[in-house]
């Protein structure tokens, strides 16, 4: 008897470090700075219940039937309206509904990349984007970044080398860094990508969670102002961070030429996203409650950011450095004296606090003294306790 | 300015014929025999409403949060119990929840096939399976089949030629043929696949919709009785045909060695299936209502099958031949005198009745006089009217 042989791309694929840490996070004694997930105590349960109640009162048989691959017309209308108020040019006809933003990423990648095609990503970048590109067999090249944006000279050199199909980035409050790309950079990046026939995959799950400073136009809106409209940017967003991740509803605005092949591809991947959850989101958007809910989220996450940054400064002094993001859920930190974060994590697990070592977010050549901490789930008291535990873990490693 | 270039696999991908026909089906004056979808008038809306009501009364915040990639523990438990009553060996630990059976198919294919690997399929076969295999870049070879099963001598010759990674089939009431594979064939197929290290992708969405005759053991249960258990069969099923397609909840039981890479792959594809819809299905299964609902469906679909087969016989006499399936949703028909079904479809659209020409279901060398008609959505009167219209279309073509 012979055993089944896996596809090459599936051999040795590893679960993400973030996922493995979930095991520890489930222990109620452990304080988790690891998960980049929205706080469920901030879900608009009244709005959700009103929505479900209204669905139950109206005719709702069709919400349990098959639907269109592109997504429910009513939802695309509502998302188009909402996006319009945010300055994001998304007509209902341009939108494709996805089963969460993760599927959007996989969908764009599968329609763009052949084995060996190149993709440029910021160093460091979203770990599940790396998983998608690796599964596709794309060649991933890291671009140096920082609080002031990407190294666009490096981007230009890489584009001139050829073979680059796309640039992937999260321009607002990136995961893991919390960095935001300045406007001048955005304009130049769109221009570079257009000149080289390279797609920009603009991943924007956190854009609405801005605490301070002014919103910056999306790469999509910059590209849409070109003659002939957007031929460059695949804009990805989701309801996961502002409404609910459990409904798995995301959306893409691709260049017009990409939408038909993407719709056919999605048909092969999962036929369509749940008719029921799409209609829940459409109804909730129609209720107009999202705007005030986002205000609630902004205030809450800013408070949590402030609590954690203060607690970390008080506990660590100069032994830990980090940025102060204007939005989103993450602090990108660096231990002093080049102490490896993975080593601190071992001690931290004993102290009952977890975070994600930064090496998970690099396709190659990780900077091992980095770490991502999330404040999204933390109250003020937990923040102080988390910082104290983390400091004890650090002390234990440094003493060694 | 340069344009983005699609991946080779995404160039020239076409929407399925079934999907294109949807446009016509939406016209209320048109009788559709095209869609292979469950009748929404048979949905258990009372059961659904009780389930949603109970969810609203209980604590339900967590149903809107992220969940585990493998699926909700409670749902895997309920599906395991239900499968057990059907003689399908599926422990909660062996089950992977998918976003509908279509995602299950894509997931299995992406974990098994490298570009150019071979897959054997019955001729004709499920059109969306062909789409998945084509998108992956697999080489598809058709195996001749019929009402009495697959040509297993041909399967054995193809396995001996080498390079076959998997055999895909729907052993119960196949789409499009309605054929069911006899037990002796199933035993031999498992033995052949095991000997050659070839996976069997057992797609079983319709197995519970049997009207007459005795249930036949699944390929999964046959493989599971081997020493060392199932190392061959990826069993795919779904709640779409017996509960609701709109919730997009399917499930896979793969060989144990395949489950971990499949879970990691699913994580990259969509993180997880909707927490909310999974919990709706789990609650509904726990209510015990599915068994009696399946009895309702069996009776209704048998009545609809009988009405359409009688109406077609009355209208066509010997000008149309077809099988009489023991379950499922489809009749596989053949026009007399080798008249091409696509030509009849043109006339049928004018007569306001649509069906799917059989050529859509062949990877190559289609038999053009075949067609698939579905009786799932038809009452008795519509069946008679559909048959009359179809006969007028046929007459118009034959007269030409």
């Amino acid at each position: 008897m012979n055993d089944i042989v896996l596809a090459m791309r599936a051999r040795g694929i590893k679960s993400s470090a973030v996922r493995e840490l979930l095991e520890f996070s489930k222990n109620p004694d452990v304080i988790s700075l690891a998960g980049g997930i929205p706080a469920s105590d901030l879900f608009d349960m009244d709005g959700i219940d009103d929505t479900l109640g209204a669905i139950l009162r109206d005719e709702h048989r069709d919400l349990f039937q098959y639907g269109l691959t592109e997504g429910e017309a009513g939802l695309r209308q509502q998302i188009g309206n909402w996006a319009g108020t945010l300055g994001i040019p998304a007509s209902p006809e341009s939108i494709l509904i996805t089963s969460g933003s993760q599927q959007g990423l996989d969908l764009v990648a599968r329609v763009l990349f052949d084995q060996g095609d190149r993709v440029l990503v910021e160093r460091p970048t979203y770990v599940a984007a790396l998983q998608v590109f690796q599964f596709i067999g794309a060649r991933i090249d890291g671009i140096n970044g920082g609080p002031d944006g990407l190294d666009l000279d490096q981007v230009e050199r890489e584009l001139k080398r050829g073979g680059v199909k796309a640039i992937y980035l999260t321009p607002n409050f990136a995961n893991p860094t919390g960095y935001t790309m300045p406007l001048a950079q955005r304009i130049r990046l769109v221009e570079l990508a257009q000149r080289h026939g390279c797609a920009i995959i603009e991943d924007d799950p956190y854009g609405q969670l801005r605490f301070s400073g002014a919103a910056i136009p999306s790469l999509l809106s910059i590209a849409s102002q070109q003659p002939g409209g957007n031929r460059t940017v695949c804009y990805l967003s989701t309801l996961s961070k502002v409404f609910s991740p459990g409904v798995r509803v995301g959306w893409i605005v691709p260049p017009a030429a990409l939408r038909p092949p993407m719709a056919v591809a999605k048909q092969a991947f999962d036929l369509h996203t749940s008719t029921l959850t799409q209609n829940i989101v459409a109804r909730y958007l129609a209720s107009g409650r999202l705007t005030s809910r986002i205000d609630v989220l902004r205030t809450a996450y800013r408070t949590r950011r402030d609590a954690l940054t203060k607690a970390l400064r008080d506990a660590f002094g100069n032994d830990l450095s980090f940025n102060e993001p204007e939005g989103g859920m993450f602090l990108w930190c660096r231990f002093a004296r080049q102490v490896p974060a993975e080593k601190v994590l071992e001690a931290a697990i004993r102290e009952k606090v977890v975070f994600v070592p930064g090496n998970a977010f690099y396709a190659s050549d990780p900077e091992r003294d980095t770490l991502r901490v999330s404040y999204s789930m933390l109250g003020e008291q937990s923040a102080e306790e988390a910082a104290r535990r983390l400091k004890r873990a650090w002390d234990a490693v440094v003493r060694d």
Side-chain angles (χ1 to χ4, degrees), chain A:
Chain A
M1 182 163 138
N2 287 298
D3 273 335
I4 298 169
V5 178
L6 289 181
M8 279 185 290
R9 72 168 77 83
R11 289 174 214 167
I13 52 175
K14 292 192 308 273
S15 191
S16 84
V18 181
R19 185 179 146 86
E20 296 303 314
L21 286 169
L22 258 180
E23 278 305 307
F24 295 109
S25 310
K26 276 186 213 150
N27 180 341
D29 295 337
V30 169
I31 301 180
S32 177
L33 306 169
I37 68 177
S40 42
D41 60 295
L42 298 173
F43 290 166
D44 180 6
M45 294 311 294
D46 288 342
I48 286 172
D49 291 357
D50 284 356
T51 303
L52 290 177
I55 282 174
L56 275 169
R57 278 191 305 278
D58 290 352
E59 173 57 41
H60 54 287
R61 193 177 288 269
D62 286 352
L63 276 52
F64 292 84
Q65 187 53 281
Y66 284 113
L68 291 178
T69 301
E70 289 85 349
E72 296 286 287
L75 176 60
R76 287 186 283 120
Q77 183 72 55
Q78 289 296 333
I79 288 180
N81 293 347
W82 177 54
T85 67
L86 307 169
I88 295 163
S91 69
E93 299 71 35
S94 68
I95 292 170
L96 190 65
I97 303 297
T98 58
S99 302
S101 217
Q102 185 69 30
Q103 188 192 41
L105 199 50
D106 186 48
L107 190 52
V108 174
R110 288 179 78 182
V111 167
L112 283 181
F113 295 105
D114 289 306
Q115 177 91 25
D117 281 343
R118 297 174 67 204
V119 58
L120 305 183
V121 302
E122 185 165 6
R123 271 177 61 84
T125 195
Y126 176 48
V127 62
L130 293 176
Q131 284 184 305
V132 166
F133 299 138
Q134 282 158 352
F135 205 90
I136 292 285
R139 277 180 46 205
I140 305 171
D141 286 302
I143 302 293
N144 294 316
D148 302 321
L150 274 185
D151 181 344
L152 290 186
D153 293 335
Q154 191 191 354
V155 169
E156 187 163 14
R157 283 194 303 276
E158 295 294 345
L159 288 173
K160 283 182 176 161
R161 278 178 55 204
V164 178
K165 271 290 184 72
I167 303 168
Y168 167 80
L169 78 167
T170 308
N172 295 317
F173 326 123
N175 178 359
T177 62
Y179 299 158
T180 291
M181 191 181 214
L183 178 59
Q185 279 223 340
R186 296 184 188 211
I187 293 170
R188 183 170 166 216
L189 183 65
V190 169
E191 192 273 322
L192 279 175
Q194 280 179 340
R195 198 187 320 147
H196 291 270
C198 166
I200 295 174
I201 307 173
E202 179 177 26
D203 192 4
D204 191 25
Y206 306 107
Q208 301 321 304
L209 298 176
R210 173 177 280 281
F211 318 141
S212 54
I216 302 174
S218 61
L219 295 152
L220 173 67
S221 63
I222 295 166
S224 298
Q225 284 158 21
Q226 304 300 310
N230 170 37
R231 290 161 72 185
T232 305
V233 175
C234 292
Y235 179 88
L236 275 70
S237 193
T238 175
L239 275 297
S240 291
K241 313 300 179 185
V242 294
F243 174 63
S244 149
V247 294
R248 310 305 303 129
V249 174
W251 48 290
I252 311 183
V253 183
L258 258 63
R259 192 171 178 276
M262 282 174 64
V264 179
K266 176 165 164 75
Q267 191 188 8
F269 301 167
D270 71 354
L271 296 184
H272 63 83
T273 297
S274 166
T275 329
L276 176 64
T277 65
Q278 285 189 69
N279 278 281
I280 290 172
V281 173
R283 283 238 181 203
Y284 183 81
L285 288 172
S287 76
R289 300 173 80 129
L290 185 59
T291 304
S292 62
R293 174 55 41 171
I294 289 176
D295 287 339
V296 171
L297 295 175
R298 282 178 179 142
T299 305
Y301 287 137
R302 182 177 53 219
T303 306
R304 291 173 190 196
R305 176 202 64 178
D306 292 345
L308 187 61
T309 51
K310 179 173 187 310
L312 288 173
R313 269 193 211 99
D314 290 351
F316 275 89
N318 291 326
D319 287 337
L320 186 80
S321 58
F322 51 85
N323 68 319
E324 189 128 357
E326 293 193 315
M329 300 182 171
F330 305 108
L331 303 182
W332 182 241
C333 310
R334 194 180 290 272
F335 285 120
R337 304 184 228 169
Q338 298 188 310
V339 171
E342 281 187 300
K343 225 168 151 188
V344 181
L345 179 62
E346 286 171 29
I349 288 169
R350 288 192 294 272
E351 296 288 347
K352 299 203 187 320
V353 62
V354 291
F355 59 84
V356 185
N359 58 343
F361 302 97
Y362 294 87
S364 58
D365 306 318
E367 302 187 10
R368 299 195 175 275
D369 52 352
T370 58
L371 60 156
R372 187 192 79 177
V373 303
S374 168
Y375 46 79
S376 63
M377 308 275 281
L378 281 188
E380 197 177 329
Q381 289 201 318
S382 304
E384 288 169 11
E385 180 59 26
R388 278 194 294 270
R389 292 182 188 183
L390 196 56
K391 181 59 163 44
R392 285 203 299 271
W394 157 263
D395 286 341
V397 169
V398 171
R399 256 200 321 272
D400 262 1

